[in-house]
Amino acid sequence: MKFFGDDTFSLHSASEDDEFLIKQLLLTHDPDGRRLDSELLLRAMEDVMRYTTISEVPEFGSHLDVSEQEDIRNIEIAGSKEKLAQIICRILNEFFCEGPGKGNLHARTMVLFDLLGKYGWDAKVVLTLAAFVTCYGEFWLILQLYPCHPLAASVAMLRQFPVNLSSLKPQFKALSLLVKTIVDVIKCIIKFEGLPFRFVKLDDEAMITKKSCFYTAAYWVARSILACSSQIKDLKANNPEQVHVPSLLSTNKLKNLYCTYVIKLDMHQHFPEVKMYQKLSESFQEAHDDNQEVLGMLLALKDDLPLKDCSTQAKVGVSELKEKVVVLLISKPELLPLECLLLLVQQTDDHPHNRPYQIVWIPISASDAWNHSELEMFKFLSNYLSWYSIRKPWAMSSVIVKYIKQEWYCKDDNPIMVVLDSQGKVSHSNAIDMVLLWGGARTYPFSYLKEEELWVAENWTLQLLLDEIDPLLSRWVEEGRNICLYGSDSLEWVREFNAKLKPIRSSGVQLEVLYVGDRNINEKVRHILAIINEEMHSSLLSITKINFFWLRLECMRRSKLRQGRATDSDHILAEVTALLDSDGQGWAVVGTGTTVGTIKLQGSDGIECLSRFPVWGENVAKLGLLGALKSALEPTPVAGPCYHCEKVPYADGSMEGTVLCSNCSRPMKKYIIYE
């Protein structure tokens, strides 16, 4: 057996020695799929190391927030019956138990790698550091407390810890420097493990060199930690005269290794990312038997359980999405404005555990690093939604984030819903508007064809305008009531409009009146709402429901424009655009339930028309309110017979009421066509 003593192996030793060491390491490496959140555990250790200093008085409380502390308490080793505390205890035993060959650092290091053979490389080094930090932290806890805490003083006395540490400051300073270098190298190892090599095969000579550097780094990290543990052991054994400055050999090797490692990591990280980007692009074009390969590349680069079921907080893998349509909700960490979020939740809250599709929320930060407010907002929202979400969106591979931003995510940062069918192919680049309009149940499977079918079945009716905004409105629509929607941010116009409606309603004409404000909900609109409630006592919507109304209109316009429609050839798009571009001017839309066709009253002309109610009101009994209003607005019918016809798809209530011809304003006869 060949051993490497303290002075017989260096980073620049002969290549045959390097190869021999790597072969030894690989013989110990036999992973069985155990998984550990190495990054989270490393953050906990960094938090401990902040307090292990004799130059500063430590501040009270952890630097980790409450949620991070809770996550650390719940760290598990997935795929293993062994608990975190158990493996740390076993490593500590290797630190401090003497035996044959224990005086040789290389031999002790290889025993440690044998002990951790079932773990991945990042877990090996992080667990080794965790054992050291646990021991080192306990040692410093007693030393910092014993001047003022009787229990700590008694323990320090019984263990005969040194009272005067000033003479050991150089040793502790060197020890801290070595540990900091160890942490830096471990971060590189974790980053290397997260690169997408399992999806991109790299067989070049440079990659072989890179992996050799990677194995060597893991070896020197573990070896250096063992050297550090020996220092603490000598202090605990009351042998301060044996405590020396940590070997400059180990420190310099790690420093040189770190510099070399960072350079190579940056060089080689870019290449697999380019290959990964190409592979992703190709995968979305290729045919697959299911969606697992695509989702595995997109979501599971660093973690086999990358998702969280927000309703149960359970960790789940992409296998849970097999044979399902997957809707990727991509947004900022703040997700959506409150009203839009509420509407989206309402429209997708249809038996989430039994539906044939699943929504996966992928929050994307505007910058490379997540800030505190983004983290807090994500953690809050992901605890209350009924969807899946990326469990650690801040840890997503940069190549995935780049792909999403460049290929899918809109530059204006508006949320989108990219739909993948059950084979992982993109069936809709942004289905959020159709989901907000019709809900998840009606829009499934969220394809372009389904969106086209839904629009073919729609007409410009009050049902389209008011659907899903409020249960009371839905009931009014189903009952075929006359409904008047009006909007403006001018209190004067609103008061005058309501004054003209008063004699109409007093005459016995059934008419429900709703104020829907303006596209921009400002203080003037809020003031008008308060006045209407106080002075007129008319039915009104809350601010949230008013936002729902305008959001529906915006969704209609975006959906129509996405289909390539134009206002001069699409009646619904023209009507929606007119309402959205009203710029606060007074307007009103009068309609009856699901009946096709509405009457629009605009500004002062609309008020003037209402003021002539004593004249045109005589036609209400014969033509209905809509027919009478239309006759008032278009008093001169077309001469001679009218051959114009309108084809209306059947729907509940569509056979009731009177439909007026859009050409001559005369009542139309009904005929039933069977296809």
Side-chain angles (χ1 to χ4, degrees):
M1 176 66 69
K2 184 175 183 179
F3 291 103
F4 295 94
D6 286 339
D7 301 317
T8 58
F9 183 82
S10 71
L11 291 177
H12 304 290
S13 59
S15 59
E16 60 182 36
D17 287 343
D18 291 346
E19 293 176 4
F20 185 79
L21 173 63
I22 291 170
K23 287 178 180 178
Q24 280 189 293
L25 292 172
L26 292 178
L27 285 174
T28 68
H29 188 58
D30 185 26
D32 61 359
R34 302 183 190 193
R35 297 181 300 277
L36 175 70
D37 193 333
S38 301
E39 289 178 287
L40 182 60
L41 187 55
L42 184 60
R43 284 206 301 275
M45 288 182 282
E46 289 182 293
D47 196 50
V48 172
M49 294 302 295
R50 288 190 182 98
Y51 300 97
T52 56
T53 175
I54 58 175
S55 59
E56 300 177 4
V57 178
E59 58 184 85
F60 180 77
S62 174
H63 286 74
L64 301 170
D65 60 38
V66 176
S67 59
E68 285 180 316
Q69 293 178 43
E70 186 64 26
D71 289 341
I72 290 168
R73 291 190 189 96
N74 296 326
I75 287 181
E76 296 179 353
I77 302 176
S80 173
K81 296 180 180 179
E82 190 171 41
K83 294 183 178 180
L84 179 62
Q86 292 174 319
I87 185 61
I88 288 178
C89 185
R90 291 174 60 198
I91 296 172
L92 283 171
N93 288 337
E94 290 299 325
F95 282 177
F96 302 121
C97 289
E98 293 291 345
K102 289 293 185 177
N104 186 293
L105 266 181
H106 173 73
R108 293 175 61 195
T109 304
M110 296 311 298
V111 169
L112 200 57
F113 277 102
D114 279 328
L115 175 66
L116 298 171
K118 299 298 182 182
Y119 292 87
W121 292 100
D122 59 328
K124 294 179 199 289
V125 292
V126 171
L127 286 170
T128 304
L129 182 60
F132 168 74
V133 169
T134 300
C135 172
Y136 193 50
E138 290 174 349
F139 169 73
W140 270 108
L141 181 63
I142 295 175
L143 290 184
Q144 290 174 348
L145 287 178
Y146 81 79
C148 57
H149 198 288
L151 178 60
S154 298
V155 173
M157 179 181 63
L158 289 172
R159 300 185 68 173
Q160 297 185 331
F161 281 180
V163 176
N164 184 10
L165 299 177
S166 58
S167 62
L168 297 174
K169 280 187 177 181
Q171 287 90 333
F172 285 121
K173 184 176 181 180
L175 189 63
S176 297
L177 179 61
L178 179 55
V179 172
K180 182 182 183 302
T181 307
I182 288 171
V183 170
D184 290 338
V185 176
I186 288 177
K187 287 180 179 178
C188 287
I189 292 174
I190 292 174
K191 190 173 183 180
F192 181 85
E193 282 282 75
L195 293 179
F197 296 125
R198 56 175 164 159
F199 295 111
V200 182
K201 295 181 179 179
L202 301 176
D203 299 323
D204 60 330
E205 184 66 28
M207 197 61 221
I208 297 174
T209 304
K210 181 71 180 71
K211 288 185 176 181
S212 299
C213 184
F214 171 72
Y215 301 138
T216 307
Y219 170 83
W220 279 101
V221 164
R223 179 176 173 135
S224 300
I225 292 172
L226 280 171
C228 292
S229 67
S230 297
Q231 306 288 319
I232 305 305
K233 177 184 175 183
D234 289 337
L235 277 171
K236 287 186 173 184
N238 196 26
N239 294 321
E241 68 279 357
Q242 297 182 17
V243 178
H244 304 290
V245 174
S247 172
L248 290 177
L249 178 67
S250 294
T251 305
N252 290 333
K253 282 177 180 177
L254 278 177
K255 280 186 175 180
N256 293 335
L257 185 60
Y258 174 69
C259 294
T260 305
Y261 201 73
V262 168
I263 293 173
K264 290 187 176 182
L265 184 65
D266 289 339
M267 289 172 55
H268 294 285
Q269 178 179 330
H270 179 66
F271 184 59
E273 284 189 353
V274 172
K275 298 271 287 185
M276 183 65 192
Y277 196 100
Q278 296 173 348
K279 180 67 174 175
L280 265 174
S281 300
E282 293 169 358
S283 292
F284 284 113
Q285 305 301 322
E286 298 170 352
H288 302 279
D289 293 333
D290 55 40
N291 58 12
Q292 293 300 283
E293 180 180 350
V294 169
L295 292 176
M297 295 177 65
L298 192 66
L299 305 176
L301 288 179
K302 294 186 179 181
D303 195 338
D304 291 332
L305 298 173
L307 305 175
K308 175 172 75 171
D309 185 338
C310 299
S311 59
T312 64
Q313 301 301 296
K315 299 176 183 179
V316 295
V318 296
S319 59
E320 296 293 323
L321 304 176
K322 191 173 183 179
E323 299 181 354
K324 285 192 174 186
V325 170
V326 178
V327 182
L328 304 175
L329 173 57
I330 305 168
S331 75
K332 297 183 293 184
E334 297 85 357
L335 189 54
L336 296 164
L338 179 59
E339 289 78 12
C340 186
L341 175 58
L342 291 174
L343 182 58
L344 186 60
V345 170
Q346 173 183 300
Q347 294 291 69
T348 57
D349 191 19
D350 48 353
H351 308 291
H353 295 289
N354 298 321
R355 59 195 178 196
Y357 69 93
Q358 185 57 258
I359 298 174
V360 177
W361 179 29
I362 305 179
I364 301 291
S365 175
S367 59
D368 293 334
W370 281 54
N371 59 45
H372 180 72
S373 62
E374 289 176 332
L375 285 170
E376 291 301 308
M377 183 57 69
F378 166 75
K379 290 175 182 177
F380 173 77
L381 290 174
S382 65
N383 286 337
Y384 293 98
L385 300 173
S386 60
W387 315 320
Y388 283 3
S389 74
I390 297 291
R391 196 157 50 84
K392 294 181 181 179
W394 52 86
M396 288 179 63
S397 170
S398 59
V399 67
I400 298 301
V401 174
K402 180 180 178 182
Y403 182 88
I404 290 174
K405 285 184 175 181
Q406 292 189 356
E407 302 296 331
W408 295 336
Y409 198 23
C410 301
K411 293 182 179 180
D412 57 7
D413 288 339
N414 284 330
I416 64 170
M417 280 182 155
V418 178
V419 183
L420 306 181
D421 64 19
S422 56
Q423 281 75 47
K425 189 173 182 180
V426 176
S427 59
H428 203 300
S429 61
N430 188 8
I432 192 168
D433 293 320
M434 62 189 296
V435 172
L436 288 171
L437 283 173
W438 293 290
R442 288 184 63 190
T443 53
Y444 176 82
F446 315 102
S447 62
Y448 289 111
L449 178 60
K450 184 64 178 181
E451 188 172 19
E452 182 71 29
E453 291 175 355
L454 289 168
W455 274 123
V456 168
E458 289 290 357
N459 291 285
W460 184 244
T461 63
L462 286 181
Q463 184 178 39
L464 177 62
L465 280 170
L466 301 175
D467 195 25
E468 301 297 339
I469 290 179
D470 184 273
L472 178 61
L473 301 186
S474 299
R475 193 181 75 193
W476 286 353
V477 169
E478 292 172 1
E479 293 174 351
R481 297 194 187 191
N482 295 318
I483 301 173
C484 173
L485 307 176
Y486 70 102
S488 174
D489 63 359
S490 169
L491 179 58
E492 180 181 357
W493 187 89
V494 168
R495 278 184 166 145
E496 188 174 4
F497 180 79
N498 276 278
K500 299 302 180 183
L501 284 178
K502 191 172 183 179
I504 298 176
R505 302 178 77 182
S506 299
S507 69
V509 175
Q510 175 269 320
L511 180 64
E512 306 294 347
V513 182
L514 287 168
Y515 175 66
V516 293
D518 185 67
R519 181 182 181 184
N520 299 312
I521 309 298
N522 51 33
E523 287 304 315
K524 291 196 292 185
V525 171
R526 295 177 186 273
H527 179 62
I528 292 172
L529 274 172
I531 294 296
I532 292 174
N533 189 37
E534 180 181 350
E535 296 182 3
M536 306 168 195
H537 304 288
S538 68
S539 301
L540 55 88
L541 300 173
S542 65
I543 288 291
T544 298
K545 298 298 177 65
I546 288 175
N547 272 301
F548 282 6
F549 172 80
W550 291 101
L551 180 59
R552 282 185 64 80
L553 293 182
E554 290 173 355
C555 290
M556 291 180 204
R557 179 157 70 176
R558 285 195 299 262
S559 179
K560 284 286 187 179
L561 292 176
R562 191 179 295 112
Q563 291 182 317
R565 304 304 175 92
T567 54
D568 56 355
S569 59
D570 191 294
H571 177 62
I572 292 178
L573 179 58
E575 295 286 356
V576 167
T577 301
L579 293 179
L580 288 171
D581 296 342
S582 58
D583 295 328
Q585 298 179 6
W587 58 268
V589 173
V590 183
T592 302
T594 59
T595 302
V596 177
T598 61
I599 301 295
K600 185 177 180 183
L601 305 174
Q602 193 77 35
S604 58
D605 292 339
I607 290 178
E608 192 275 332
C609 176
L610 294 179
S611 66
R612 292 188 281 109
F613 173 69
V615 177
W616 58 262
E618 297 177 357
N619 296 325
V620 171
K622 180 177 65 174
L623 301 177
L625 178 61
L626 260 66
L629 263 175
K630 193 161 189 178
S631 67
L633 292 170
E634 303 173 6
T636 305
V638 177
C642 176
Y643 299 102
H644 182 254
C645 67
E646 293 184 13
K647 187 177 179 181
V648 181
Y650 176 79
D652 291 341
S654 61
M655 298 299 295
E656 303 173 4
T658 301
V659 177
L660 301 180
C661 177
S662 58
N663 283 356
C664 67
S665 302
R666 289 178 287 193
M668 303 181 75
K669 292 183 179 180
K670 295 187 182 74
Y671 296 93
I672 299 176
I673 300 175
Y674 296 95
E675 296 182 339

